[in-house]
Amino acid sequence: MTNLGELQYFLGLKVKQVEDGIFVLQKKYVADLLKVDARSFRSLVGGLIYLTSTRPDISFTVGVISKFMHCPSKHHFGVAKRVLRYIVGTVDFGIWYGHVSEFKLFAYTDSDWAGFLEDKRSTSGYIFSLGSATVCWSSKKQTVTTLSSSEL
């Protein structure tokens, strides 16, 4: 086994290790993503999906536009371009895992009520944080419609 020193890059993630914590971001990946051929909506959305591994702030929007990968319109492509403009302004954002003396697990969850007017399905989401950093998150449309949700 060979000691290669401290981890710096892993699967497109840049890892900055300092005395009081670890910062994970995808600055180089963002730069490469911005070079994607704008005509390829699927490739662009796939890149945005991977970017959500360190950017929970774009998870919901990316999840919504990913529903239209097989039949995108100009409107969907415009939303994806707007996400890219946001990313350009926040390229140094990432996740900070700071040293804390006591790790506490926090969980937050929420759901809207029949948020999609077409089929009356709800969107539910959750986020878990351990210590000072987010470790798991999700936002998705529920697969079933409950009777109470469809009676408005």
Side-chain angles (χ1 to χ4, degrees):
M1 188 177 274
T2 304
N3 183 359
L4 300 175
E6 287 187 351
L7 178 66
Q8 294 182 357
Y9 282 98
F10 180 73
L11 297 176
L13 303 174
K14 179 168 177 56
V15 181
K16 292 183 180 180
Q17 299 183 38
V18 293
E19 187 174 316
D20 58 340
I22 298 172
F23 187 63
V24 181
L25 71 157
Q26 291 177 290
K27 191 172 186 175
K28 182 179 181 324
Y29 184 77
V30 168
D32 294 340
L33 182 63
L34 294 173
K35 296 176 188 174
V36 170
D37 183 6
R39 291 172 286 171
S40 179
F41 183 78
R42 289 181 187 165
S43 178
L44 174 60
V45 173
L48 290 172
I49 289 170
Y50 185 70
L51 185 60
T52 62
S53 62
T54 59
R55 298 291 302 268
D57 54 331
I58 64 170
S59 292
F60 179 77
T61 306
V62 172
V64 171
I65 62 174
S66 68
K67 295 176 186 177
F68 303 98
M69 288 179 69
H70 296 291
C71 184
S73 68
K74 288 183 180 181
H75 176 72
H76 301 121
F77 185 68
V79 172
K81 286 174 52 176
R82 186 170 178 92
V83 172
L84 286 177
R85 284 194 298 272
Y86 171 74
I87 290 169
V88 167
T90 59
V91 71
D92 290 320
F93 282 20
I95 298 179
W96 172 252
Y97 297 98
H99 289 285
V100 293
S101 59
E102 185 177 329
F103 280 101
K104 290 185 180 179
L105 178 65
F106 291 99
Y108 303 95
T109 184
D110 195 12
S111 180
D112 69 355
W113 185 67
F116 287 91
L117 298 177
E118 299 84 30
D119 57 9
K120 305 292 187 223
R121 291 190 185 171
S122 301
T123 301
S124 58
Y126 63 83
I127 185 166
F128 288 89
S129 61
L130 182 63
S132 65
T134 300
V135 292
C136 181
W137 59 88
S138 174
S139 173
K140 65 180 182 179
K141 185 176 176 181
Q142 294 177 354
T143 57
V144 296
T145 304
T146 60
L147 184 58
S148 62
S149 296
S150 63
E151 296 175 352
L152 293 177

